[in-house]
């Protein structure tokens, strides 16, 4: 079937349940019954379930999206340090870090939130950008960060760090 809850944990099952209700039309945004989870990740999961016909295809697609995290981190570190080797080591460390490997093939919102957050960091302007380009880069980076917060509200905690990096 479309959903096989035998191999997922409780949080993943909750995301699957919301995604299923989005697919079958029973999700009621205004009812306030789903206040524990934001809607962006379950909606993303619902799209993947529909596109790939089930949980296994969706999980592979999520893994592919999450796999972008290491290269994005390489880009960020190289931009900040202007050094290739530390950037590659940071990307390798992230790719091999056990929690990143676990979340990278799970149905947790972290699997989408981390690459989204790293993308927001990548989109931040550099000191070399002209004034108009910088404004657009800040706007797009802020938009991506806003979406990230709707994927995983815990990323609100990272906003001060983003501001520190920008400064």
């Amino acid at each position: 079937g479309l959903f096989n809850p035998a191999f997922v944990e409780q949080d993943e099952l909750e995301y699957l349940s919301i995604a299923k209700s989005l697919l079958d039309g029973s999700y009621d945004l205004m009812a306030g019954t789903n206040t524990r989870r934001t809607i962006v990740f379950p909606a993303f999961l619902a799209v993947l379930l529909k596109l790939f016909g089930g949980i296994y295809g969706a999980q592979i697609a999520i893994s592919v999206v999450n796999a972008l995290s290491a290269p994005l981190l390489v880009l960020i570190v190289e931009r900040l340090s202007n050094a290739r080797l530390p950037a590659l080591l940071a990307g390798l460390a992230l790719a091999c870090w056990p929690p990143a490997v676990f979340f990278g093939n799970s149905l947790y919102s972290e699997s989408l939130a981390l690459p989204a957050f790293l993308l927001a960091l990548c989109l931040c302007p550099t000191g070399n950008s002209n004034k108009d380009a910088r404004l657009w880069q800040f706007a797009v980076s802020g938009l991506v960060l806003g979406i990230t917060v709707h994927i995983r509200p815990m990323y609100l905690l990272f906003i001060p760090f983003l501001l520190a990096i920008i400064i």
Side-chain angles (χ1 to χ4, degrees):
L2 182 61
F3 301 101
N4 181 0
F7 72 95
V8 296
E9 295 181 359
Q10 185 60 39
D11 284 349
E12 292 174 299
L13 189 57
E14 194 172 345
Y15 286 122
L16 280 171
S17 173
I18 296 168
K20 181 179 182 268
S21 69
L22 287 168
L23 287 172
D24 68 18
S26 64
Y27 184 85
D28 186 1
L29 183 62
M30 299 315 222
T33 56
N34 298 305
T35 57
R36 231 174 86 74
R37 304 286 179 197
T38 57
I39 195 65
V40 175
F41 183 73
F44 175 73
L45 183 56
V47 168
L48 294 178
L49 290 168
K50 188 74 171 170
L51 281 175
F52 295 104
I55 196 167
Y56 299 110
Q59 194 169 16
I60 290 168
I62 288 171
S63 294
V64 169
V65 169
N66 187 265
L68 297 172
S69 296
L72 287 169
L73 183 61
V74 169
L75 290 172
I76 293 164
V77 172
E78 188 170 8
R79 254 177 74 183
L80 291 174
S81 69
N82 222 13
R84 186 85 159 142
L85 183 60
L88 292 172
L89 290 174
L92 181 63
L94 178 60
C96 296
W97 188 42
V101 173
F102 170 77
F103 286 121
N105 69 1
S106 73
L107 298 178
Y108 285 100
S109 61
E110 286 89 343
S111 58
L112 179 60
L114 179 60
F117 180 70
L118 292 172
L119 179 61
L121 289 176
C122 278
L123 293 170
C124 284
T126 63
N128 304 344
S129 303
N130 70 42
K131 186 178 177 183
D132 292 334
R134 242 185 313 207
L135 185 60
W136 279 106
Q137 287 173 301
F138 275 127
V140 174
S141 177
L143 178 67
V144 173
L145 183 60
I147 292 168
T148 302
V149 168
H150 285 285
I151 295 168
R152 180 93 179 139
M154 179 203 68
Y155 275 79
L156 279 168
L157 298 172
F158 293 114
I159 290 176
F161 297 106
L162 177 60
L163 293 174
I165 290 170
I166 291 170
I167 291 171

